[in-house]
Structure formats: structure tokens, C-alpha cells
Amino acid sequence: NDVNESADLGLGCGNPLVAAKLQPGEVVVDLGSGAGIDCFIAAKQVGPTGHVLGVDMTPEMLGKARENAKKDKVENVTFRLGEIEHLPVGDGVVDCLI
């Protein structure tokens, strides 16, 4: 399946996942996840045993991302409200940060 086109707002600055070389089972955090495009691509790469956490500081973008995840039935992605200075993530639980 292709990634949900409504998650691609055309606002990205490249593909951070090229260099990430994600592996099945990894935990990924996307800072400034927006509508979730990189999260959904990463979710396919880490598979059902991995997890992707999108963090965004705007409730509107979180709503859009959650709507996209629900629409596409993506179950290994969650989205949280937060700022880079105060991440809503515990220490030592992330394999890759994008």
C-alpha cells in the first residue's frame, strides 16, 4: 500500500529515512511529525514489532496525523503533543530520532 497522500503536505525538507536505515522492531521518534508522512513510511520499515512516535507542538497537526493513521489502519504509530525542549518520551527507549 502506498502512504496516505493526505499526510504529504509538501512541507518536508528531504527524506530523513534514507540515512536512518531502519530495521524491524526498532522504535523511532519523529520530531515535528506534522501530518505524519515520515511516521507512516517509518512504520512500514520497522514493521509490526516496531513502533513510531510522532511528536508535534500543534494540536491541529496531531489531529490530522491521527486521522490519517485511523483512515489507513496504521497501528504501530502514535502521536503526542510536545515540544523538542520537553519531549514526551522516556530515556533510553528510542533507537532512531528523525
Side-chain angles (χ1 to χ4, degrees), residues 19-98:
K21 296 185 171 96
L22 299 176
Q23 299 297 311
E26 288 188 320
V27 176
V28 178
V29 172
D30 180 8
L31 301 177
S33 57
I37 186 76
D38 292 330
C39 291
F40 300 129
I41 295 169
K44 289 182 178 190
Q45 294 178 6
V46 300
T49 60
H51 191 80
V52 181
L53 171 62
V55 178
D56 204 277
M57 63 182 229
T58 61
E60 296 81 11
M61 280 293 105
L62 289 174
K64 180 84 169 155
R66 289 173 178 150
E67 178 183 308
N68 288 332
K70 183 176 180 180
K71 180 174 146 185
D72 286 351
K73 298 179 175 85
V74 180
E75 297 181 358
N76 62 337
V77 176
T78 55
F79 295 94
R80 294 183 189 168
L81 182 65
E83 297 177 345
I84 291 174
E85 296 85 356
H86 308 284
L87 289 176
V89 180
D91 292 337
V93 296
V94 176
D95 297 300
C96 182
L97 184 67
I98 58 172

